[in-house]
Amino acid sequence: MKIPSELKYSSSHEWIKIEEDGSAIIGITDHGQDALGDLIYVELAQVGDIIESGMELAIVESMKAATDICSPVSGEVIEINSTLSSDPKIVNESPFDDGWFLRLKLSNSGECDNLIDPEDYSTLVEADL
C-alpha cells in the first residue's frame, strides 16, 4: 500500500498535497480506494463552491456502496478533475496521481496543521487492517 511521504492525510483517508502557490490538491488514499472497491461513479463539487472542513467535496459509488468524501480543509474549489466523471476507475488505478479529485484555494492554511503525517497515517492504516 502506497503512502507518499510528501503528502498529508486525514483520518477518513483523504490525502492533501499543498502546492507552491498555496492551493491544495485533494484525493482519497490507496487504502481508501481499496476499502471502497471498484468505483463506478464520481460526483465532484463544482468550481467556485466554498467548502468548509468536514463538508462533502465528492460522492463516490462503488459496487459496495455510495460514500461521501469530506474535505479535511476549507477553501474555494478552483479546479476539478473532470476526467473522473467519465472514467471513475482512474481513482482505483492511480489514487495519488491521475485520480485526484479537486484543487482548493485554502481559506485557512492553519487547518493543515491538524492533518496527519505519513508515519502516523501508516500506523492508522495498519490498525484498520
Side-chain angles (χ1 to χ4, degrees):
M1 184 151 325
K2 287 178 59 174
I3 301 177
S5 61
E6 70 275 10
L7 303 177
K8 292 285 205 165
Y9 300 88
S10 72
S11 59
S12 54
H13 308 292
E14 291 87 17
W15 60 261
I16 299 176
K17 180 180 181 186
I18 306 300
E19 297 286 275
E20 287 184 23
D21 66 2
S23 66
I25 298 174
I26 302 174
I28 60 173
T29 65
D30 194 18
H31 178 72
Q33 68 78 26
D34 187 54
L36 290 170
D38 291 338
L39 296 185
I40 57 172
Y41 176 77
V42 175
E43 180 181 330
L44 299 171
Q46 298 299 305
V47 171
D49 286 354
I50 303 298
I51 306 278
E52 296 295 325
S53 178
M55 284 179 55
E56 175 186 293
L57 63 82
I59 299 170
V60 297
E61 278 186 42
S62 68
M63 297 304 281
K64 294 180 180 181
T67 304
D68 294 341
I69 305 299
C70 296
S71 183
V73 292
S74 304
E76 178 184 354
V77 179
I78 57 174
E79 183 181 4
I80 63 169
N81 186 351
S82 58
T83 305
L84 299 182
S85 62
S86 61
D87 196 4
K89 69 180 176 281
I90 292 172
V91 175
N92 297 110
E93 296 166 355
S94 182
F96 296 110
D97 296 310
D98 299 331
W100 61 278
F101 284 2
L102 52 78
R103 180 188 308 263
L104 292 179
K105 177 181 177 187
L106 294 174
S107 59
N108 181 359
S109 60
E111 289 176 331
C112 296
D113 296 338
N114 299 326
L115 299 173
I116 303 170
D117 65 34
E119 295 78 23
D120 289 341
Y121 182 71
S122 178
T123 301
L124 177 76
V125 168
E126 288 173 17
D128 226 13
L129 297 177

Coordinates of all heavy atoms in Angstrom, one line a residue, residues 1-4 7-15 27-39 60 62 64 67 69 91-96 101 116 118 120-129:
M1 N 0.8 -1.2 0.0 CA 0.0 0.0 0.0 C 0.9 1.2 0.0 O 1.8 1.4 0.8 CB -0.9 0.0 1.2 CG -1.9 1.1 1.2 SD -3.4 0.8 2.1 CE -3.7 -0.9 1.8
K2 N 0.6 2.1 -0.9 CA 1.4 3.4 -1.1 C 1.0 4.4 -0.1 O -0.2 4.6 0.1 CB 1.3 3.9 -2.5 CG 2.0 3.1 -3.5 CD 1.8 3.7 -4.9 CE 2.3 5.1 -5.0 NZ 2.3 5.7 -6.3
I3 N 1.9 5.1 0.6 CA 1.7 6.2 1.4 C 2.8 7.2 1.1 O 3.8 7.3 1.8 CB 1.7 5.9 2.9 CG1 0.6 4.8 3.2 CG2 1.5 7.1 3.8 CD1 0.5 4.3 4.6
P4 N 2.6 8.1 0.1 CA 3.7 9.0 -0.3 C 4.0 9.9 0.8 O 3.2 10.5 1.5 CB 3.0 9.8 -1.5 CG 2.0 8.8 -2.1 CD 1.5 8.1 -0.9
L7 N 2.9 14.0 1.2 CA 1.5 14.3 1.4 C 1.2 14.4 2.8 O 1.9 13.8 3.7 CB 0.6 13.3 0.7 CG 0.9 13.1 -0.8 CD1 -0.1 12.1 -1.4 CD2 0.7 14.4 -1.6
K8 N 0.0 15.0 3.1 CA -0.6 15.0 4.5 C -1.9 14.2 4.3 O -2.4 14.0 3.2 CB -0.9 16.4 4.9 CG 0.3 17.2 5.2 CD 0.9 16.8 6.5 CE 1.7 17.9 7.2 NZ 2.0 17.6 8.6
Y9 N -2.4 13.7 5.4 CA -3.5 12.7 5.4 C -4.6 13.1 6.4 O -4.3 13.8 7.4 CB -3.0 11.3 5.6 CG -2.1 10.9 4.6 CD1 -0.7 11.1 4.7 CD2 -2.5 10.3 3.4 CE1 0.2 10.8 3.8 CE2 -1.6 9.9 2.4 CZ -0.2 10.2 2.6 OH 0.7 9.8 1.6
S10 N -5.8 12.6 6.2 CA -6.9 12.7 7.2 C -7.2 11.3 7.7 O -6.9 10.3 7.1 CB -8.1 13.4 6.6 OG -8.7 12.4 5.7
S11 N -7.8 11.3 8.9 CA -8.2 10.0 9.5 C -9.3 9.3 8.7 O -9.5 8.1 8.8 CB -8.6 10.2 10.9 OG -9.7 11.0 11.0
S12 N -10.0 10.1 7.8 CA -11.0 9.5 6.9 C -10.5 9.1 5.5 O -11.2 8.9 4.6 CB -12.2 10.4 6.8 OG -11.9 11.7 6.4
H13 N -9.1 9.1 5.4 CA -8.4 8.5 4.2 C -8.4 9.4 3.0 O -8.4 9.0 1.9 CB -8.9 7.1 3.9 CG -8.9 6.2 5.1 ND1 -7.7 5.8 5.6 CD2 -9.9 5.7 5.9 CE1 -8.0 5.0 6.7 NE2 -9.3 5.0 6.8
E14 N -8.4 10.7 3.2 CA -8.1 11.7 2.1 C -6.7 12.1 2.2 O -6.1 12.1 3.3 CB -9.0 12.9 2.3 CG -10.5 12.7 2.0 CD -11.2 12.3 3.2 OE1 -10.7 12.5 4.4 OE2 -12.4 11.8 3.1
W15 N -6.1 12.4 1.1 CA -4.7 12.9 1.1 C -4.8 14.4 0.6 O -5.7 14.7 -0.2 CB -3.8 12.1 0.2 CG -4.2 11.9 -1.2 CD1 -4.8 10.9 -1.8 CD2 -3.9 12.8 -2.3 NE1 -5.0 11.1 -3.2 CE2 -4.4 12.3 -3.5 CE3 -3.3 14.1 -2.4 CZ2 -4.3 12.9 -4.7 CZ3 -3.2 14.7 -3.6 CH2 -3.7 14.1 -4.8
G27 N -7.4 14.1 -2.7 CA -7.9 12.9 -3.3 C -8.1 11.9 -2.2 O -8.0 12.2 -1.0
I28 N -8.4 10.6 -2.5 CA -8.5 9.6 -1.5 C -7.3 8.7 -1.6 O -6.7 8.6 -2.7 CB -9.8 8.8 -1.5 CG1 -10.0 8.1 -2.9 CG2 -11.0 9.7 -1.2 CD1 -11.2 7.1 -2.9
T29 N -6.9 8.1 -0.5 CA -5.7 7.4 -0.4 C -5.9 6.0 -1.0 O -7.0 5.5 -1.4 CB -5.3 7.1 1.1 OG1 -6.3 6.3 1.7 CG2 -5.1 8.5 1.8
D30 N -4.8 5.3 -1.2 CA -4.7 4.0 -1.7 C -5.6 3.1 -0.8 O -6.4 2.3 -1.3 CB -3.3 3.5 -1.8 CG -3.1 2.2 -2.6 OD1 -4.0 1.9 -3.4 OD2 -2.1 1.6 -2.5
H31 N -5.4 3.2 0.5 CA -6.2 2.4 1.4 C -7.7 2.8 1.3 O -8.6 1.9 1.3 CB -5.8 2.7 2.9 CG -6.6 2.0 3.9 ND1 -6.5 0.6 4.1 CD2 -7.5 2.4 4.8 CE1 -7.3 0.2 5.0 NE2 -7.9 1.3 5.5
G32 N -8.0 4.0 1.1 CA -9.4 4.5 1.0 C -10.1 3.9 -0.3 O -11.2 3.4 -0.2
Q33 N -9.4 4.0 -1.4 CA -10.0 3.4 -2.6 C -10.1 1.9 -2.6 O -11.1 1.4 -3.1 CB -9.2 3.9 -3.9 CG -7.8 3.4 -4.1 CD -7.7 2.0 -4.6 OE1 -8.6 1.5 -5.3 NE2 -6.6 1.3 -4.3
D34 N -9.1 1.3 -1.9 CA -9.2 -0.2 -1.8 C -10.4 -0.6 -0.9 O -11.1 -1.6 -1.3 CB -7.9 -0.7 -1.2 CG -7.8 -2.2 -1.2 OD1 -7.9 -2.8 -2.3 OD2 -7.6 -2.8 -0.1
A35 N -10.6 0.1 0.1 CA -11.8 -0.2 1.0 C -13.1 0.0 0.3 O -14.1 -0.7 0.5 CB -11.7 0.7 2.3
L36 N -13.2 1.0 -0.6 CA -14.4 1.2 -1.4 C -14.7 0.2 -2.5 O -15.8 -0.1 -2.8 CB -14.3 2.6 -2.0 CG -14.4 3.8 -1.1 CD1 -14.1 5.1 -1.8 CD2 -15.8 3.9 -0.4
G37 N -13.6 -0.3 -3.0 CA -13.7 -1.2 -4.2 C -13.7 -0.5 -5.5 O -13.5 0.8 -5.5
D38 N -14.1 -1.1 -6.5 CA -14.0 -0.5 -7.9 C -15.1 0.6 -8.0 O -16.3 0.3 -7.8 CB -14.3 -1.6 -9.0 CG -13.1 -2.5 -9.1 OD1 -12.0 -2.2 -8.7 OD2 -13.3 -3.6 -9.6
L39 N -14.6 1.8 -8.3 CA -15.6 2.9 -8.4 C -16.3 2.9 -9.7 O -15.7 2.6 -10.8 CB -14.8 4.2 -8.2 CG -14.2 4.5 -6.8 CD1 -13.6 5.9 -6.7 CD2 -15.1 4.2 -5.7
V60 N -18.8 9.3 -4.1 CA -18.3 8.2 -4.9 C -19.2 7.0 -4.7 O -19.7 6.7 -3.6 CB -16.8 7.9 -4.6 CG1 -15.9 9.0 -4.9 CG2 -16.7 7.4 -3.2
S62 N -19.4 2.8 -5.5 CA -18.7 1.5 -6.0 C -19.8 0.5 -6.0 O -21.0 0.7 -5.7 CB -17.6 1.1 -5.0 OG -18.2 0.7 -3.7
K64 N -20.1 -1.7 -3.9 CA -20.3 -1.9 -2.5 C -21.3 -0.9 -1.9 O -22.2 -1.2 -1.1 CB -19.1 -1.9 -1.6 CG -18.1 -3.0 -1.9 CD -16.9 -2.8 -1.1 CE -15.8 -3.9 -1.3 NZ -14.7 -3.8 -0.4
T67 N -20.6 6.6 -1.0 CA -19.9 7.2 0.1 C -19.6 8.7 -0.1 O -19.2 9.1 -1.2 CB -18.5 6.5 0.3 OG1 -18.7 5.1 0.4 CG2 -17.8 7.0 1.5
I69 N -17.3 11.9 0.4 CA -15.9 12.2 0.7 C -15.9 13.6 1.2 O -16.4 14.5 0.6 CB -15.0 12.1 -0.6 CG1 -15.2 10.7 -1.3 CG2 -13.6 12.4 -0.2 CD1 -14.7 9.5 -0.4
V91 N -9.4 6.5 -10.2 CA -9.2 6.6 -8.7 C -8.6 5.3 -8.2 O -7.6 5.3 -7.4 CB -10.4 7.0 -7.9 CG1 -10.2 7.1 -6.4 CG2 -10.9 8.4 -8.4
N92 N -9.1 4.2 -8.6 CA -8.6 2.9 -8.2 C -7.2 2.6 -8.8 O -6.4 2.1 -8.1 CB -9.6 1.8 -8.6 CG -10.9 1.9 -8.0 OD1 -11.9 2.2 -8.7 ND2 -11.0 1.7 -6.7
E93 N -7.0 3.0 -10.0 CA -5.7 2.7 -10.7 C -4.6 3.7 -10.3 O -3.5 3.3 -10.3 CB -6.0 2.8 -12.2 CG -6.9 1.8 -12.7 CD -7.4 2.1 -14.1 OE1 -7.1 3.2 -14.7 OE2 -8.2 1.3 -14.7
S94 N -4.9 4.9 -9.9 CA -3.9 5.9 -9.7 C -4.4 7.0 -8.7 O -4.5 8.1 -9.0 CB -3.5 6.6 -11.0 OG -2.5 7.5 -10.8
P95 N -4.6 6.5 -7.4 CA -5.2 7.5 -6.5 C -4.4 8.7 -6.1 O -4.9 9.7 -5.8 CB -5.5 6.6 -5.2 CG -4.5 5.5 -5.3 CD -4.4 5.2 -6.8
F96 N -3.1 8.6 -6.3 CA -2.2 9.7 -5.9 C -1.8 10.6 -7.1 O -1.2 11.6 -6.9 CB -1.0 9.2 -5.2 CG -1.3 8.6 -3.8 CD1 -1.2 7.2 -3.7 CD2 -1.8 9.3 -2.8 CE1 -1.5 6.6 -2.5 CE2 -2.1 8.7 -1.6 CZ -1.9 7.4 -1.4
F101 N -9.1 14.5 -6.9 CA -10.4 14.9 -7.0 C -10.5 16.4 -7.4 O -11.1 16.7 -8.4 CB -11.2 14.7 -5.7 CG -11.6 13.3 -5.4 CD1 -11.3 12.3 -6.3 CD2 -12.3 13.0 -4.3 CE1 -11.7 11.0 -6.1 CE2 -12.7 11.7 -4.0 CZ -12.4 10.7 -4.9
I116 N -2.5 14.6 9.3 CA -1.7 13.5 9.8 C -0.5 13.4 8.9 O -0.6 13.4 7.6 CB -2.5 12.2 9.8 CG1 -3.7 12.4 10.7 CG2 -1.6 11.0 10.3 CD1 -4.7 11.2 10.5
P118 N 2.8 11.2 7.2 CA 2.7 9.9 6.6 C 3.0 8.7 7.6 O 2.4 7.7 7.5 CB 3.9 9.9 5.6 CG 4.0 11.4 5.2 CD 3.6 12.1 6.5
D120 N 2.3 8.6 10.9 CA 1.1 8.4 11.7 C 0.0 7.8 10.9 O -0.8 7.0 11.4 CB 0.7 9.7 12.4 CG 1.6 10.1 13.5 OD1 2.4 9.2 14.0 OD2 1.6 11.3 13.9
Y121 N -0.1 8.2 9.6 CA -1.2 7.6 8.8 C -0.9 6.1 8.5 O -1.8 5.3 8.5 CB -1.3 8.4 7.4 CG -2.4 7.8 6.6 CD1 -3.7 8.0 6.9 CD2 -2.1 7.0 5.5 CE1 -4.8 7.5 6.2 CE2 -3.2 6.5 4.7 CZ -4.5 6.7 5.1 OH -5.5 6.2 4.3
S122 N 0.3 5.8 8.3 CA 0.7 4.4 8.2 C 0.2 3.6 9.4 O -0.3 2.5 9.3 CB 2.2 4.2 8.0 OG 2.6 2.9 7.9
T123 N 0.5 4.1 10.6 CA 0.0 3.4 11.8 C -1.5 3.3 11.9 O -2.0 2.3 12.2 CB 0.5 4.2 13.1 OG1 2.0 4.3 13.0 CG2 0.1 3.6 14.3
L124 N -2.2 4.4 11.4 CA -3.7 4.3 11.4 C -4.2 3.2 10.4 O -5.1 2.5 10.8 CB -4.2 5.7 10.9 CG -5.7 5.8 10.8 CD1 -6.4 5.9 12.1 CD2 -6.0 7.0 9.9
V125 N -3.5 3.2 9.3 CA -4.0 2.2 8.3 C -3.7 0.7 8.8 O -4.5 -0.1 8.7 CB -3.2 2.4 6.9 CG1 -3.4 1.2 6.0 CG2 -3.7 3.7 6.3
E126 N -2.5 0.5 9.4 CA -2.2 -0.8 10.0 C -3.2 -1.2 11.0 O -3.6 -2.4 11.1 CB -0.8 -0.8 10.6 CG 0.3 -0.7 9.5 CD 1.7 -0.6 10.1 OE1 1.9 -0.8 11.3 OE2 2.6 -0.2 9.3
A127 N -3.7 -0.3 11.8 CA -4.7 -0.6 12.8 C -6.1 -0.9 12.2 O -6.9 -1.6 12.8 CB -4.9 0.6 13.8
D128 N -6.3 -0.3 11.0 CA -7.5 -0.5 10.3 C -7.6 -1.9 9.6 O -8.7 -2.4 9.3 CB -7.6 0.5 9.2 CG -9.0 1.2 9.1 OD1 -9.8 1.0 10.0 OD2 -9.2 1.9 8.1
L129 N -6.5 -2.5 9.4 CA -6.4 -3.8 8.6 C -6.8 -5.0 9.5 O -6.8 -5.1 10.6 CB -5.0 -4.0 8.0 CG -4.6 -3.0 7.0 CD1 -3.2 -3.2 6.5 CD2 -5.5 -3.0 5.8

